[in-house]
Amino acid sequence: AVAAVGVDINSCSREILEKVPSLTAALCENIIKARPLHRRKDLLQVARLGAKTFENCAAFIRVTNGDEPLDATLVHPESYDLARYLLNKLEWKLDDPTTVGTLLTKDEQREEWRELAKLAANEYQCPDDRIFIVIEHLISSIISPDPRLRGADQGASERDVGLLLGCSSLPSNLSTVNDLRHALPVRNIIANVRNVVDFGAFVDFGGENDGLLHRSKFGPISLNSLLVGQEIGVDILGVSST
C-alpha cells in the first residue's frame, strides 16, 4: 500500500514511515527529528541516510506543499527532468486534471505518444518503457492528486475525503469492542489511514484493533484519493470481535 500511495514525510507516524523500503527504525527517528522537510532531496541531509537509501525510498515519499511540485507525485527524482519535458510537450499541468484530456489505455498511449517517446528517449538517453512509466505516473498524480493539496478556498465538496470538521478522537470510554458495540453508531471520529487495499482501507480510529472502511461505503469518493498516514473522519457502524 505504501508503494501505491506514498507517505507524507512531514505528517506520517513513525510506524507508517518504517513501512517505506530501506528506512530502518533509526533512520525514521532521524527523519522525524529533521522535520519539516521542504523537498525530497532534503532527505540526503538526514543523519546516516545515504544516496543509495535515498534512491530506494524517494519514490515512496511525498512532500506536500513543498518547494518542488513533483515531490508530491509518483515520479522518482531521477526522472524529474524527463517529467518536466513531458509536461511541457503534452501541455499538462500538475494542478489541473482537465489538461490531461481523455484517458487512454496503455496500448492507446503507446500509439498516441510513440513519436514523443522517441524524441524523449533520444533526449534523455533512456528506453521507451521508462518514458511511458513516467507518463503513467504523471497521469495518476494529476487525475488523483494528494487530497491534502486541495486549496482551502475550494470549500467542502463530496470529493473531500472524510472531512475532519466536527470530528474528534474516540472517547476513552469506548476503546474496547464491548464498549463500542453498546454505543453504536459512533459518528464523526478521527481515524488514520493505515493501509489501502483493493476492497477498501484499514484505519486506526483509536480502538483495540484497526477498522475496515469498505469501498462500498465510500459513496462518490475514489479509493485512490486516500493516502497512508492521512487523517479522515469516519462513522463506526459495526464491530466484530474477530
Side-chain angles (χ1 to χ4, degrees), residues 92 97-104 143:
W92 291 350
T98 64
T99 59
V100 174
T102 303
L103 296 182
L104 306 177
I143 67 174

Side-chain angles (χ1 to χ4, degrees), residues 150-206:
R150 298 182 188 133
D153 58 343
Q154 289 180 297
S157 75
E158 64 182 10
R159 294 197 52 167
D160 292 322
V161 180
L163 289 172
L164 294 177
L165 184 64
C167 294
S168 59
S169 300
L170 185 73
S172 58
N173 63 329
L174 297 180
S175 60
T176 69
V177 170
N178 284 335
D179 291 336
L180 272 176
R181 182 176 288 113
H182 290 98
L184 294 176
V186 181
R187 302 191 183 277
N188 300 322
I189 298 300
I190 296 173
N192 189 286
V193 177
R194 297 286 299 278
N195 201 355
V196 181
V197 292
D198 290 342
F199 52 85
F202 290 95
V203 300
D204 177 4
F205 61 92

